[in-house]
Amino acid sequence: MIDLKGKVAVVFGLANKRSIAWGIAQKLSEAGATLAICYQNERLQRDAESLAAELPSARTFQCDVSVDEQIDTLFATLKETYGTLHTIVHAVAFAPSDAIKNDFLLTTRDDFRIAHDVSVYSLIAVSRAAVPLMTEGGSILTLTYYGSTKVFPNYNVMGVAKAGLEATVRYLAASLGSKNIRVNAISAGPIKTLAARGIGDFSKILDAVTDRAPLHRNVDQLEVGGAALFLSSDLASGITGEITYVDCGYNITGL
Ligand SMILES: NC(=O)c1ccc[n+]([C@@H]2O[C@H](COP(=O)([O-])OP(=O)(O)OC[C@H]3O[C@@H](n4cnc5c(N)ncnc54)[C@H](O)[C@@H]3O)[C@@H](O)[C@H]2O)c1
């Protein structure tokens, strides 16, 4: 039984009950962690607050991770509220809709920049702000997708961003290892969330997994949450810089 009592976990990326962040928050909370749940803007505040109310000792905070001042303000508040942090979960991504609708060749400079700023650079910015509060060591986790490695229809610039995110995980792991802070990514199989709804023909991707994955089904948010719980715990004390697939085995298949 994993026991995270006395540990503080900060989870970014809660939009609604379908969010992967919600599956992770539930699992961390079940294990006894104190949760700081972060939502992007006022529009998402009400949903975030009502979900957080379901978890004992969870509090909500607003932070747009593309704005440095908001990250600074958030971590100043987290320092005051909790003192020490142990786990950071970065379940955040964004690409402008044109970039995941049009042919990849038409990706604009601006759309490329925005996708990488929100989906990749934010992990570096959030980690830098968190590290001074992670004085007892800990775990930083992000969420990636197999589109980093193989081409999926319409995933486009997000695939390029996820490749950058996975490389970022390795460089951050090397940078933070001496502080006993581990940095890992979970590569989740496709799940129907708000972000996934933006990807055209997403249901075809879900069907391909049911068809071909060794387990012949798709994963759910709580299964991703289970892996996040393991990676956040001492059971994973020797694991850093890794990409762990939680995809019913889809990535091992050739045909
Ligand atoms: N759903 C899938 O199929 C799938 C598969 C693999 C990986 N992922 C990844 O999981 C993560 C979570 O996505 P999800 O599928 O749960 O969808 P989601 O829409 O529920 O979550 C995405 C979150 O990112 C947040 N976000 C976007 N821009 C932000 C910003 N500037 N500042 C702060 N927050 C911002 C949104 O508010 C939202 O809460 C993403 O990194 C996504 O790429 C999703």
Side-chain angles (χ1 to χ4, degrees), residues 143-192:
L143 270 297
T144 186
Y145 179 58
Y146 191 35
S148 63
T149 306
K150 300 287 178 188
V151 173
F152 284 80
N154 302 314
Y155 203 57
N156 295 355
V157 75
M158 272 314 299
V160 183
K162 291 302 192 192
L165 182 70
E166 292 175 15
T168 300
V169 164
R170 292 185 282 272
Y171 277 91
L172 278 176
S175 167
L176 296 177
S178 60
K179 295 182 162 60
N180 198 26
I181 298 172
R182 300 177 294 102
V183 186
N184 290 289
I186 292 174
S187 186
I191 302 175
K192 240 189 223 163

Side-chain angles (χ1 to χ4, degrees), residues 23-250:
I24 295 174
Q26 288 176 90
K27 285 291 180 183
L28 293 175
S29 175
E30 265 172 43
T34 298
L35 268 288
I37 292 181
C38 303
Y39 58 90
Q40 181 184 357
N41 54 33
E42 290 83 16
R43 212 165 32 82
L44 301 173
Q45 181 171 7
R46 200 199 299 220
D47 271 3
E49 282 174 356
S50 71
L51 286 171
E54 294 179 22
L55 306 179
S57 74
R59 295 182 55 171
T60 55
F61 302 87
Q62 185 172 315
C63 180
D64 183 325
V65 298
S66 65
V67 183
D68 286 332
E69 297 72 35
Q70 292 197 24
I71 296 176
D72 291 345
T73 305
L74 169 73
F75 279 91
T77 310
L78 294 175
K79 184 178 181 183
E80 237 170 65
T81 313
Y82 303 108
T84 307
L85 306 177
H86 303 89
T87 293
I88 307 291
V89 177
H90 171 275
V92 168
F94 176 75
S97 61
D98 277 353
I100 45 176
K101 205 164 59 197
N102 294 336
D103 189 295
F104 180 66
L105 183 65
L106 302 177
T107 307
T108 64
R109 193 181 296 276
D110 233 26
D111 288 355
F112 186 95
R113 181 186 59 71
I114 292 167
H116 282 73
D117 183 25
V118 177
S119 315
V120 187
Y121 182 74
S122 64
L123 178 64
I124 303 171
V126 163
S127 298
R128 192 166 53 241
V131 163
L133 305 187
M134 298 178 77
T135 48
E136 297 170 6
S139 154
I140 297 175
L141 265 183
T142 188
L143 270 297
T144 186
Y145 179 58
Y146 191 35
S148 63
T149 306
K150 300 287 178 188
V151 173
F152 284 80
N154 302 314
Y155 203 57
N156 295 355
V157 75
M158 272 314 299
V160 183
K162 291 302 192 192
L165 182 70
E166 292 175 15
T168 300
V169 164
R170 292 185 282 272
Y171 277 91
L172 278 176
S175 167
L176 296 177
S178 60
K179 295 182 162 60
N180 198 26
I181 298 172
R182 300 177 294 102
V183 186
N184 290 289
I186 292 174
S187 186
I191 302 175
K192 240 189 223 163
T193 61
L194 197 61
R197 257 198 264 149
I199 316 280
D201 285 336
F202 189 73
S203 59
K204 276 195 192 152
I205 299 178
L206 291 168
D207 290 346
V209 175
T210 315
D211 202 31
R212 281 181 33 201
L215 297 181
H216 292 290
R217 63 174 179 84
N218 280 285
V219 288
D220 67 26
Q221 290 84 337
L222 287 173
E223 290 179 296
V224 179
L229 172 59
F230 162 69
L231 287 168
S232 301
S233 78
D234 285 346
L235 290 180
S237 57
I239 302 176
T240 193
E242 289 296 331
I243 315 299
T244 299
Y245 281 84
V246 180
D247 68 344
C248 293
Y250 181 80

